[in-house]
Structure formats: structure tokens, C-alpha cells
Amino acid sequence: MSSVVAALFARLRRWRSHGRALLWCCLLLACGGAAAAPAPMPALDGGWRPVAAADRGVPPSRADPALRRFDPARLTKLRGGEAGAWVLLWPAQGQWPSGPWVLEVPSPALQRVTLLPPVAGAAPQQRWLMRDDPQALPGNGRVGFRIDVAPAAGQPLRLWLDQRGVMPASLRFQLRSESDYLRQDSRWLVVASLSFAIMLSMAAMALVFAWRLREATFLYYAIYVLGYGLVMALETGYVVHPLGLEAIGQAARFWGRLGTTTSIVAAVLFLERFADLAQYLPRARHWLRGYAALVLLIGLPALLPLPWLDALGRALVNPLLILGGPLLLGIAAAAAWRGSRYAGLFLLGWTPLLLVTVVGSLQGFGMAAGWTWSDEAALAAGAFEALVLSLGLAERSTSLRRDRDQARQLADLDSLTGLLNRRAWHERLTALKQVARRRRQPLALMFLDVDHFKRLNDRYGHRAGDDGLRALAQALHEELRGDDLIGRYGGEEFVIALPGIDAAQATPIAERIRERFRAQAALAFPELQPTVSIGVVQLRPGDDANGLVQRADEALYAAKSGGRNRVVAVH
């Protein structure tokens, strides 16, 4: 598993430069879309009012005293209620330009926009981001109405906003030439596609890491990114244009509420684990969990087919988003101040996105009305956040892998000699046996035992006995090859597997080990002069790992019975 995770991390590092390039493309194109010079079309003036029961489908005139004047170039919350709202638009100065031209309504979200016929005999045009209308202009993140014949002098364009069952989004209106409209639409589509591609690829990588490392932090991150991407794809109509998932678009309220709820809760759980709040800011976890519980309490019941729950969810979602942004940023900043490096990465990645999200929510209350490219900023900020935090997660995965490798290494080693312990050595012997069989190569095995080890402990103490075992381990390392498998089998017993060598070739190696230990031990313990006995065998057809060790143990017993301090090889 470690090699797989290492390969994934290496690939993610190779993608880093590509991800940065994609991100810069998103930002540059988004800025280019915001700064593009508008087509030479007249500015609009406008008025709106809620639809009244007395209207009976007849729009008001410009002389209606109930009309509320507004600037169509700025984002305005046109809250008309369940019956919707009437919108009247007319040139701020002069007359309507001669057709054809396009009336553009950027980012209408889930509202249906109907243009009543500007001339007698024409049919109304209804546009909705969640409907794929082949007769309409491309609707990527916007709806457009082609006006072939301009209204008569002094007459406004009349629109009806159908807001039934949806949370009204702030709207703006402008005139464009058809070529300019199509150019802006294409630019937006490139920005959106690049942003969604980055988010989706980073979420996929996080899911792979979550599966391989069994680490929930990556899972929470992937759920957040996918939930946020779903919400943005619904709000911008991307699920229908260009993906063509009209079935999801028809249930946009359900999927949008589900995406918002899951993304917020996953973001909270991700921050808690990613920034190590249990270590750096334990009390803040209660605030985060309380906020997540509040989101669940409001968001999940609103998915049920109960009108009052749906209305409650629509009323509270924006306040919750406005509250959650400063809460998460404040906790991350406090954890970073206390030394959490990952909290700093969270701040770097999330600050632009959360600021854009909060400002977008504030626009629902009529604030920041002049910032008309919030959707493009939200997409680019989402891609930036996904890229930055994915790099942070990749670094975290490396740290986790390193810690687990160290733990595994410590679990495999004998604490006294530093050799493999019995379990780890036996696992590796099984693998060596399979390789030897597959390659048809010999495999020799030695079983060593220190003679009269109890006498050494009784005479010189256990510390001296431990020193003797460490000395034997050192002698084995110096006499053997790097790919030979050395382990402490238990007590004063040692085992060695020698791949590519048979018993006859292993016997002189065993003799060198026996003589080296005898000479070193005679200097350290002159009164006892400890020695070793060694049994040598080789792999036979039909042997399993246990049988091979047992035969080596029998050869060792023969060496002990023959007088000790000797090597007995069984071919």
C-alpha cells in the first residue's frame, strides 16, 4: 500500500504545475470576462413590483405608481413572492436600438424568466437554466432573449419572474449584440469547465487517498468539494448546459439543499481533523460541531416534502452561510496562531472562497450590488481552494505514510538487536521461498543458538548477556550480504535465510560466523568463552516455511548433540 500511495503522491506533485496553469487560466479568463468592454448598447433603466392578484396576467405600465425603480446594471433582489414579480425595462436615454440584439439576464439561478412579446402577435419567450431549449440562445450561466424587432418608442420590455418554490437570486439585466453575448457565453463556459475539472480531479484524488490510507480527513474533503461543486453546477445551470443532466435540473431544489448541507457539514469535519483542532484548539470543536448540527437540523428536514420546512430552509440558508464563513476562518486563524501548520494552509485555500461565499450571500440582502461577477469569482475561488488544500492533503498523506512506515518498522524489529523479530522474519521467509520456487533458485537457511547462554547470564548478569546477543547480531551483519534475511527467533536463537545459495555454499559462511563469534566472545568473556552452534539446511521440493525452519532446528539439535561449537549441514 505504501508504494501505491507514494506513486499517487508523486503523480500529484507532477500535476502541481498543471494545476497552477489551469488555475491561472481560470483567474485570467474570469478577470477578462469581468473587464471585457460591453457592446455599444444603451444603458437600461427599470422598475419592478410583485405580481398582484388583480393583475390577472396583465403586466403593469411604466405609469404604475407601485413600480419600484432600480438600476438594471446592478444586482437587485426582486422579491415578488410566490406569484413572482413584474420587471419593466427601458432605455435610460434615447430610443431602443434597431434589432436584432439580445437581452441578457446573467445568473438567474432557479428563477424562470419570461419575456412578454414586445410586439403584437409574437409569442412569449420563457427561459430557465434548468431546461434545455434547442430554440433558445446558449444558456451557460445566463439566459438570453433574442429581440429581432425593438419595442415601439416609449414602450418597455416586460418580463415576469416565476419565483415559485425558489429563493430569489439577485438579478441584473443588460443589452448585448448577439456576437458579444456568444463571446461572453463561451468565455464563461471555459472558466466554468476548467474550475469544475480542477475540483472534480482533486476530489477524486482525495477519495483514492481516503481509501488507501483509511483516513477520514480525505473523505470529508472530497465530500465538501463534490457538494460545493454540485451547488455551483446547479446555481449556474452547468448540470443542464452543457452537461445535459436535465433530470437533476428538474429536482434542483432537492439537490441544491442536499449539496449545501453536506458540503457545510463536511467542511466543518474536515477543518477539525485537517487543522488538528483536538491538539491546538480543543474547545473550538464544540463551536464547529454545534454549527454543523444547526445546519443539519435546518437543512435535512427541508429536504422533506413539507412546504413550511422548505420555506424555513430558504429563509435561513443565507444567514447560516454568512455566519459560517467568519466562524471557520476565525477558528482556523486561532489554530494557526497556536502552531497548526495545516490550519494556515486552510486559511490560504479557503479565505478567497469563503469571502466570495459570504459576499454572495450578502448580495441576497441587497449589499455589494455592484459586484456583478460573483459567480465567476466563486468558480475560480473554488478551483483555487481545491488545488491548495489538495496539495496540503498530499503533504499530510506523506506524513501519515512516513509515520505508519516507521511504526511498522518498529513493530517488525527486535528491540534488543535491531534484527527482524520472529513474526516479521517468518513473513519475509514465505515471500523468499515463493521467489526461489518461481526462479528455480536455491535457498539456504541457518539456525543459530548461543551455547550455555544461561551460564553467561548467571556469571556476568543479564546486561552482559544482552551485550553478547548484540555482538552476535553485529557479527551476522558483517559476515552476510545485504539481501540475506536475518532475524532473532527468540531468546538466544537466531535464523538466517540466504537466497541463491544452497547448503554446501552456506556451510563455510556458517563456519566464519561461528569462528568470528568465538574469537570475539573469548576476549569479552575469557572465563566462559561462549560459542554458537549452527544448523544449515536448504529448501527442498514440497517444503513450506514451517517445514524448512523445523529441519534447520533439527540440524541445530544435531550440532548441540555433537558437542556444540560446530556447524551441521543437512543437504
Side-chain angles (χ1 to χ4, degrees):
M1 184 175 70
S2 297
S3 61
V4 174
V5 174
L8 289 172
F9 178 57
R11 180 174 298 177
L12 188 59
R13 285 191 299 179
R14 289 196 299 269
W15 287 354
R16 183 182 304 179
S17 59
H18 302 299
R20 287 174 178 169
L22 288 174
L23 177 61
W24 278 113
C25 285
C26 290
L27 294 174
L28 290 173
L29 287 169
C31 293
M41 289 287 176
L44 294 174
D45 201 351
W48 77 278
R49 71 166 174 81
V51 174
D55 293 338
R56 299 182 181 275
V58 178
S61 67
R62 288 180 57 178
D64 191 329
L67 281 181
R68 308 172 190 178
R69 297 290 295 271
F70 76 102
D71 182 359
R74 295 169 59 85
L75 288 168
T76 305
K77 193 78 167 185
L78 308 177
R79 194 184 300 273
E82 287 300 313
W86 296 113
V87 177
L88 273 63
L89 302 171
W90 57 88
Q93 294 179 351
Q95 303 296 321
W96 290 108
S98 58
W101 38 266
V102 176
L103 172 65
E104 179 188 47
V105 187
S107 305
L110 299 182
Q111 300 170 103
R112 293 175 172 87
V113 184
T114 300
L115 174 67
L116 301 180
V119 294
Q125 301 181 51
Q126 187 183 71
R127 300 288 182 263
W128 187 34
L129 287 181
M130 297 300 120
R131 184 175 65 191
D132 188 8
D133 185 353
Q135 302 300 321
L137 288 167
N140 298 299
R142 69 202 64 231
V143 297
F145 299 92
R146 181 187 289 109
I147 309 295
D148 293 317
V149 180
Q155 292 299 312
L157 287 174
R158 295 177 173 88
L159 299 99
W160 171 50
L161 303 181
D162 184 356
Q163 301 170 335
R164 287 172 294 185
V166 302
M167 186 172 60
S170 297
L171 295 180
R172 63 188 180 93
F173 308 85
Q174 64 183 14
L175 303 184
R176 289 188 184 275
S177 67
E178 186 169 347
S179 61
D180 187 40
Y181 174 88
L182 295 175
R183 188 183 310 113
Q184 292 292 333
D185 185 76
S186 298
R187 182 182 290 113
W188 185 93
L189 186 59
V190 171
V191 172
S193 298
L194 286 173
S195 300
F196 284 126
I198 292 173
M199 287 187 272
L200 185 61
S201 60
M202 296 301 102
M205 287 295 295
L207 286 174
V208 173
F209 277 109
W211 174 52
R212 290 291 184 180
L213 296 176
R214 303 294 190 269
E215 173 59 44
T217 307
F218 299 89
L219 178 62
Y220 295 146
Y221 169 75
I223 293 174
Y224 161 73
V225 172
L226 292 175
Y228 177 81
L230 175 61
V231 171
M232 291 302 301
L234 289 168
E235 288 186 356
T236 60
Y238 196 87
V239 292
V240 176
H241 309 279
L243 296 183
L245 303 176
E246 196 166 352
I248 295 179
Q250 297 296 330
R253 281 186 295 167
F254 172 84
W255 290 108
R257 192 67 51 79
L258 180 63
T260 300
T261 302
T262 55
S263 63
I264 292 176
V265 173
V268 168
L269 296 175
F270 170 73
L271 173 60
E272 179 181 344
R273 295 178 68 98
F274 183 66
D276 296 322
L277 294 185
Q279 175 183 353
Y280 294 100
L281 211 64
R283 293 185 179 180
R285 294 184 299 165
H286 302 301
W287 290 94
L288 283 177
R289 291 175 180 177
Y291 174 68
L294 181 62
V295 171
L296 283 173
L297 184 64
I298 293 173
L300 291 183
L303 297 174
L304 301 175
L306 298 174
W308 68 274
L309 280 177
D310 182 64
L312 179 64
R314 282 187 279 128
L316 295 179
V317 62
N318 270 345
L320 281 176
L321 290 175
I322 295 172
L323 172 65
L327 176 65
L328 268 65
L329 285 177
I331 290 175
W337 178 263
R338 294 195 174 187
S340 173
R341 183 167 180 267
Y342 292 111
L345 286 174
F346 181 91
L347 284 173
L348 175 63
W350 280 55
T351 298
L353 177 61
L354 289 179
L355 289 178
V356 169
T357 302
V358 170
V359 172
S361 298
L362 289 174
Q363 288 179 329
F365 297 96
M367 304 174 65
W371 189 29
T372 59
W373 48 285
S374 56
D375 282 347
E376 290 87 344
L379 287 170
F384 176 78
E385 172 268 342
L387 190 59
V388 170
L389 292 185
S390 292
L391 294 176
L393 283 171
E395 182 179 342
R396 184 182 180 89
S397 72
T398 303
S399 177
L400 288 172
R401 180 169 56 87
R402 183 172 58 250
D403 293 344
R404 293 184 184 185
D405 288 347
Q406 291 175 350
R408 176 62 186 269
Q409 184 179 13
L410 291 175
D412 287 349
L413 297 182
D414 173 61
S415 59
L416 176 64
T417 62
L419 301 176
L420 292 172
N421 58 33
R422 181 171 181 170
R423 174 196 57 78
W425 182 87
H426 206 281
E427 289 178 356
R428 287 162 174 76
L429 174 64
T430 301
L432 275 181
K433 178 184 70 66
Q434 293 173 350
V435 172
R437 285 263 170 80
R438 186 170 64 251
R439 297 179 178 177
R440 297 183 180 181
Q441 294 178 344
L443 175 64
L445 193 143
M446 299 182 189
F447 209 128
L448 292 78
D449 183 82
V450 179
D451 300 324
H452 301 302
F453 186 71
K454 187 176 183 302
R455 294 181 187 177
L456 180 65
N457 279 332
D458 293 342
R459 179 65 180 272
Y460 295 100
H462 289 284
R463 178 173 295 180
D466 291 345
D467 290 341
L469 294 179
R470 281 191 287 265
L472 177 55
Q474 181 64 28
L476 293 176
H477 274 301
E478 292 174 356
E479 288 290 343
L480 297 170
R481 302 168 300 175
D483 56 350
D484 292 332
L485 197 63
I486 313 171
R488 184 184 179 192
Y489 209 68
E492 67 275 17
E493 296 178 332
F494 295 80
V495 283
I496 305 166
L498 300 99
I501 291 178
D502 58 20
Q505 295 169 310
T507 300
I509 300 174
E511 287 288 359
R512 291 200 305 269
I513 293 172
R514 182 194 63 79
E515 179 59 27
R516 185 185 185 112
F517 180 77
R518 185 199 64 77
Q520 291 179 347
L523 295 176
F525 311 105
E527 297 180 8
L528 292 181
Q529 297 190 2
T531 57
V532 293
S533 299
I534 305 175
V536 180
V537 296
Q538 69 183 44
L539 182 66
R540 294 175 178 173
D543 274 345
D544 59 11
N546 291 326
L548 184 61
V549 173
Q550 183 177 351
R551 291 198 298 107
D553 189 25
E554 292 171 356
L556 171 64
Y557 181 77
K560 293 273 191 185
S561 301
R564 295 184 172 84
N565 188 27
R566 66 188 59 212
V567 174
V568 171
V570 178
H571 299 276

